[in-house]
Amino acid sequence: MTTAKSAILRPRELKSSDRGGGARTTPLVTRKCGSTSMINGITAFDPGAAIGLHKHNCEESVMVLDGKAIAEIDGVQHELGPNDTTWIPANVPHRFINASATEPMRIFWIYASIDATRTLIATGEERAIDAEHGHQPGVGGGK
């Protein structure tokens, strides 16, 4: 018998974190709700916004929910639209760009590890994904 409790997460009721450059992230499944093996969330991009080139210590999958995106993966740019989905192996440099100058874009992302990290290619700075969203690794519990 499992002791973990399920969770219903409503993005419109959750706090978003400003990623800078016109991108905002809403964490969904995290340690806070009781997850022990994965995390996911939604990142919204203003028109023309982009996030910096980075890599992770685990696999990541990203699905475009709304808008037009450019996924730059290992130096190659790919045009994506709604429901197009990427799979990115660990340690592969990548980033997402809103391809529209007038329309917003949103992506849904999932990391294959609760201990996912992001390493910025430009600076080499590494941080825990949880820390970016105001959560502390190892802290929290299911509700």
Side-chain angles (χ1 to χ4, degrees), residues 31-54:
R31 284 180 172 89
K32 187 174 181 180
C33 74
S35 179
T36 60
S37 63
M38 58 171 268
I39 55 178
N40 67 30
I42 296 171
T43 299
F45 294 74
D46 291 339
I51 55 177
L53 196 62
H54 61 279

Side-chain angles (χ1 to χ4, degrees), residues 47-98:
I51 55 177
L53 196 62
H54 61 279
K55 63 183 179 177
H56 303 289
N57 62 336
C58 64
E59 298 174 6
E60 178 186 25
S61 182
V62 172
M63 175 187 278
V64 176
L65 298 175
D66 304 304
K68 295 178 182 177
I70 296 171
E72 183 178 323
I73 303 170
D74 211 10
V76 179
Q77 292 192 349
H78 308 270
E79 293 183 12
L80 305 175
N83 300 320
D84 290 344
T85 302
T86 65
W87 172 76
I88 304 166
N91 299 309
V92 172
H94 62 280
R95 70 182 183 146
F96 291 86
I97 303 163
N98 184 345

Side-chain angles (χ1 to χ4, degrees), residues 96-108:
F96 291 86
I97 303 163
N98 184 345
S100 173
T102 59
E103 299 295 322
M105 184 262 290
R106 291 186 322 133
I107 60 173
F108 174 79

Side-chain angles (χ1 to χ4, degrees), residues 3-9 13-14 28-36 139-143:
T3 59
K5 295 183 180 182
S6 57
I8 304 297
L9 305 161
E13 298 171 2
L14 299 172
L28 297 170
V29 173
T30 64
R31 284 180 172 89
K32 187 174 181 180
C33 74
S35 179
T36 60
V139 176
K143 217 188 198 191

